[in-house]
Amino acid sequence: MSNLDQRLAYGVSDAARLIGISRSKMYTLIAADKIPARKLGGRTLILHSDLLILLGNAPHVTLG
């Protein structure tokens, strides 16, 4: 899976793995309209750009 960062879109499992969450958590985010998903040929796809937006909108964490 070294070419994951080269894709325009990912299946749910690959998208979840790419950002370090579970597949079920990704489906929860889709159901909650936190990230848009698209259907193409029976596959559920998530755009790379939408993953970047999701991460960019995540709250900042202060350590210490």
Side-chain angles (χ1 to χ4, degrees):
M1 299 262 188
S2 60
N3 291 331
L4 282 181
D5 58 344
Q6 303 299 320
R7 297 185 195 176
L8 295 175
Y10 308 94
V12 174
S13 294
D14 286 341
R17 187 177 13 239
L18 189 64
I19 64 169
I21 63 173
S22 70
R23 182 175 173 263
S24 63
K25 178 62 176 176
M26 183 62 76
Y27 277 112
T28 299
L29 292 171
I30 293 167
D33 290 327
K34 300 288 185 184
I35 188 163
R38 291 153 172 82
K39 283 285 196 180
L40 183 63
R43 290 195 64 204
T44 301
L45 297 174
I46 299 168
L47 296 181
H48 181 84
S49 57
D50 289 331
L51 289 172
L52 295 176
I53 291 168
L54 175 72
L55 292 173
N57 289 335
H60 290 231
V61 175
T62 304
L63 301 177

